[in-house]
Amino acid sequence: ARVGPCAAPPMRRLARSLDRLRGRRAGARAAPASAAGAASTTDLWADVTAAATAARAAGALFKIDTAPRALDDGGWRFVLRVATALKAKDEDGKKKKGGGGGAAPPRPFNPFLPPDPRLVVRALPPSHALLLNKFNVADGHVLVVTRAFEAQEAALTEGDAAATWVALTAAPGPGGGLAYFNRGPESGASQPHKHVQVVPLPLMEGGGEGGEGGDARAPFEPSALAAVAGAPPYQVEPVRSLPVRAFAAAMPADPEPRALAGCLARLAAACGVANAADTTTSYNLLLTPRVAMAVPRRAARVGPLGVNAVAFAGSLLVRSEAELAYIEARGPWDVLRDAGVPWEG
């Protein structure tokens, strides 16, 4: 069920309660006009770290152990994260829900409205909250979530752009963060409430997954940056070097929210989103402090694998040895060709 603006005050109360427990007030931070200054990034990642420590101690945050492996394909060094515990978790969850046997479907559950207060990091002006991802495979995995309900299929707004930019540029390390957004039924989206996910770079601990010399960028960035070389910021260009349709735009150092949102809208349009009323076209969006890339989608699953945006950034999560063998036998790009849309001609 959709929840209107009346849901915002409880969310703000939850955020304020968490802030008081830590002896600070998130609402005291100013909101300058630029996207990078939409909320103070001072100590934001320290807040993420502190919130994660407290949430783990309280039993509210769970790190899923993975065994990262590098796999080269098509000039990319993909990061495969093997998390067999997820398979057991999914199967156990299905049993607890009583799936099959004519049972009534479970009631829709929105983990963001209201969120678990132990997972709230802080409010992000103008209308978002920064939450810890309850089940994560990488430290610092956070969610930029609208405080009032908005559908995941809704167009990304100036507010979405501003709050997301704050989170990804606050991520530690020379590469900053990677933001990714799954939109539409074939995108790999898992929650109907609008949210953008952010993880710190590099995608493999220790760096070096993007190229020689410990490149801190995401694996997709060299291809996207090559496609926009010489183009002005925000200008959308095709990424013809990839075997699937993809479109990229260079980012300026300090984007203005309206300009950034306009660029994201043009990337969505390049993926086939006709207008704001189009809720069925699927695409994935990737964003770093240097470049944005969007990929139209035609399938949420390929064989046994679920595929979301981070796969097109260069990282695949597998839940069993059988899934790992499937990727190794086909190669990551052969899998992603079936999830994306091939170039014509």
Side-chain angles (χ1 to χ4, degrees), residues 89-232:
K89 172 180 171 291
D90 289 347
E91 291 172 354
D92 184 59
K94 290 176 183 177
K95 290 177 183 177
K96 289 180 179 178
K97 290 179 181 178
R107 294 178 61 187
F109 171 66
N110 185 345
F112 306 143
L113 203 60
D116 183 335
R118 298 170 297 178
L119 299 177
V120 177
V121 178
R122 67 158 72 168
L124 289 179
S127 54
H128 294 69
L130 188 67
L131 309 181
L132 302 171
N133 186 30
K134 183 179 181 71
F135 297 100
N136 62 83
V137 298
D139 291 331
H141 187 168
V142 293
L143 310 173
V144 178
V145 181
T146 57
R147 294 202 293 268
F149 181 85
E150 293 183 32
Q152 186 74 357
E153 294 79 16
L156 292 170
T157 65
E158 293 179 36
D160 297 323
T164 298
W165 192 260
V166 167
L168 76 91
T169 53
L178 165 69
Y180 58 98
F181 178 65
N182 305 307
R183 191 269 193 190
E186 304 301 336
S187 68
S190 60
Q191 294 292 342
H193 187 135
K194 187 194 281 183
H195 65 288
V196 179
Q197 304 186 58
V198 178
V199 293
L201 292 172
L203 295 178
M204 179 178 280
E205 291 84 351
E209 85 283 0
E212 297 295 327
D215 196 335
R217 298 174 297 181
F220 85 94
E221 290 191 74
S223 298
L225 288 167
V228 300

Side-chain angles (χ1 to χ4, degrees), residues 27-132:
R29 294 177 171 86
S34 71
S40 171
T41 61
T42 303
D43 297 329
L44 188 148
W45 217 257
D47 286 355
V48 171
T49 301
T53 299
R56 278 193 296 268
L61 183 68
F62 302 91
K63 175 74 178 290
I64 297 168
D65 291 332
T66 61
R69 306 187 191 184
L71 182 61
D72 293 328
D73 188 25
W76 286 27
R77 175 153 292 180
F78 284 87
V79 180
L80 306 186
R81 288 186 173 272
V82 185
T84 55
L86 279 174
K87 192 74 171 178
K89 172 180 171 291
D90 289 347
E91 291 172 354
D92 184 59
K94 290 176 183 177
K95 290 177 183 177
K96 289 180 179 178
K97 290 179 181 178
R107 294 178 61 187
F109 171 66
N110 185 345
F112 306 143
L113 203 60
D116 183 335
R118 298 170 297 178
L119 299 177
V120 177
V121 178
R122 67 158 72 168
L124 289 179
S127 54
H128 294 69
L130 188 67
L131 309 181
L132 302 171

